[in-house]
Amino acid sequence: MLELSNMRRTSSLPARYRVLGWTFVAIAALLCDAGALRAQDPGPQAPPPTFKVERIPAEPHPGPPPLPVEEIIRKCAANEDVMKKAYDAYDFTQSIRLDELSDPGGKFSVTGEVYTKADGLRYMRVTKPAESSLKLMHFSLEDVRVIASMPEFPLTAEEIENYSFKYAGQEKLDQLNTYIFQVKPKTLSRKKRYFEGVIWIDDHDFAIVKSYGKFVSELEGNGTALPFTMFETYRENFQSKYWLPTYTRSDDYFKSEGNEDMPLRLVVHSTDFKVRTAAAEPSGAATASPAADSGSSSSVPLSSPKR
């Protein structure tokens, strides 16, 4: 069963395009296991809304959608191309927080500026020294790099042929009417991770406004010692047309020495979006090894060079 949360928009935009607020609820199980930008746009600042929980069957049997599935997916993929182009034109602040929810528990938090260098690659420059009071596990900048570099737009027009889509019905998220699809990769690869999960597509913009799932390959694990596998991501509306990912959460468990399941929570939050005015890195940023110890003011690469 899957829990769905309603999200309100801000009142400063027309009802059709108000900001989709971010919130979240714990998920009980997976259904099947961006025009030019204005420099003055400060980005979204919506507060957490209230929500109610609704459920859909794990094996849905909805009636046919009002449009052919192929047309919905084609329009969505075309919009993903636009959203990715817009997203790549922004620099923004990103905070990453890991909480141990046991007693006693601790937390790790780090904040940085995500930007693009002249080489076209994304980096995070740590702007606030990392703070850690973790009791059970270690969390380093290498873990930050892997978590922050998860693909945000895996379903572009270039990629959709790698996936199969199963229509799972419609759901109203506050003032948004959405189409729900289960997504699975057709084949797996040892060199690339693919998205597997659920997406919510706005029925007017044909844009993904929420996703829940994991990234899979022929290799086991997620590339880190962290247990997080399932990620719930919310998008917010920019300039009344661009739906960009700003909030990701994952809940999981860590095995203690006594073989107990200790609850953990990971939250990645992006704010203060600004149009990039130069390709150069921020002044004072010094590139460091991806495995540099937390707490430094170095830059951590979030993407690998294209081959």
Side-chain angles (χ1 to χ4, degrees), residues 199-220:
I199 58 175
W200 285 255
I201 302 174
D202 176 67
D203 71 348
H204 184 273
D205 294 343
F206 292 95
I208 296 174
V209 295
K210 176 184 172 183
S211 64
Y212 176 74
K214 57 185 177 180
F215 293 91
V216 297
S217 74
E218 287 186 335
L219 302 176
E220 294 184 1

Side-chain angles (χ1 to χ4, degrees), residues 1-4 27-33 55-60 166-169 180-184 196-200 212-213 230:
M1 302 293 289
L2 181 66
E3 294 185 351
L4 304 179
I27 304 297
L30 180 64
L31 289 177
C32 65
D33 272 304
R55 298 179 184 273
I56 58 176
E59 188 62 34
K166 182 176 181 180
Y167 178 64
I180 306 172
F181 284 90
Q182 297 177 19
V183 183
K184 291 190 67 174
E196 180 179 333
V198 186
I199 58 175
W200 285 255
Y212 176 74
M230 306 301 295

Side-chain angles (χ1 to χ4, degrees), residues 26 97-107 134-137 227-228 249-256 259-266:
R97 174 169 173 158
L98 173 67
D99 287 291
E100 296 172 334
L101 303 179
S102 56
D103 186 18
K107 70 177 182 178
L134 295 175
K135 304 294 192 303
L136 302 174
M137 60 187 302
F228 302 105
R249 165 176 159 167
S250 181
D251 290 338
D252 221 305
Y253 294 90
F254 176 80
K255 283 287 185 182
S256 70
N259 204 37
E260 294 182 83
D261 286 331
M262 314 301 288
L264 301 173
R265 174 169 297 161
L266 176 73

Side-chain angles (χ1 to χ4, degrees), residues 292-303:
D293 193 36
S294 62
S296 69
S297 60
S298 60
S299 293
V300 181
L302 302 182
S303 53

Side-chain angles (χ1 to χ4, degrees), residues 24 95-98 247-250 265-269:
F24 45 81
S95 63
I96 298 176
R97 174 169 173 158
L98 173 67
Y247 193 93
T248 296
R249 165 176 159 167
S250 181
R265 174 169 297 161
L266 176 73
V267 173
V268 182
H269 190 197

